[in-house]
Amino acid sequence: MLTAIWIIAAVLLALWSLSAWGLHALLVNGAGWATDVRPLIDDIPYGEVIERWIPGWRQMLSLALDFAQTALTWVGDSATLVAWLVWSAGALMLAGTAGVLSLIVVLLRPKAEAGSAGVRR
């Protein structure tokens, strides 16, 4: 059981590291991609149908794009620090959770009989 806990923790840590690397790549590249996305908003297929169901969706999407561009520009200068802080917080939580689960397994494991464990004489 302990082996399973730590194997799962290692796999999750690998996935967490991959996502932190992706966050770093996104932050380092900056917000230049947001200007390329703006013309695509106008070319979304079935835009009229979406407008009937969600009025003002183009304006909301444009506002979200502006917010993303501003946030990425603001955070982009300290991309490495942000990625390391996010990764370390997640890695500590994963390792701590695996440690607590290991402790629970060890504490709840049935005790061995005194006769079969080698009695001191």
Side-chain angles (χ1 to χ4, degrees), residues 31-71:
W33 57 269
T35 56
D36 299 335
V37 173
R38 198 167 299 280
L40 297 175
I41 294 174
D42 297 328
D43 295 337
I44 292 178
Y46 303 108
E48 300 80 27
V49 175
I50 299 172
E51 186 68 36
R52 281 188 229 140
W53 286 92
I54 307 170
W57 68 274
R58 281 193 172 109
Q59 291 81 13
M60 288 189 297
L61 195 57
S62 181
L63 235 116
L65 192 61
D66 290 338
F67 175 73
Q69 188 173 13
T70 303

Side-chain angles (χ1 to χ4, degrees), residues 6-102:
W6 287 103
I7 287 174
I8 291 170
V11 168
L12 289 175
L13 182 62
L15 290 174
W16 182 248
S17 298
L18 184 65
S19 65
W21 174 69
L23 171 70
H24 181 263
L26 178 69
L27 293 177
V28 166
N29 285 335
W33 57 269
T35 56
D36 299 335
V37 173
R38 198 167 299 280
L40 297 175
I41 294 174
D42 297 328
D43 295 337
I44 292 178
Y46 303 108
E48 300 80 27
V49 175
I50 299 172
E51 186 68 36
R52 281 188 229 140
W53 286 92
I54 307 170
W57 68 274
R58 281 193 172 109
Q59 291 81 13
M60 288 189 297
L61 195 57
S62 181
L63 235 116
L65 192 61
D66 290 338
F67 175 73
Q69 188 173 13
T70 303
L72 286 175
T73 302
W74 182 67
V75 175
D77 296 335
S78 57
T80 304
L81 177 67
V82 169
W84 274 107
L85 289 175
V86 168
W87 178 84
S88 62
L92 284 174
M93 286 180 14
L94 278 169
T97 303
V100 168
L101 287 174
S102 296

Side-chain angles (χ1 to χ4, degrees), residues 110-121:
K111 303 292 183 208
E113 292 293 325
S116 64
V119 181
R120 290 185 192 170
R121 294 180 193 189

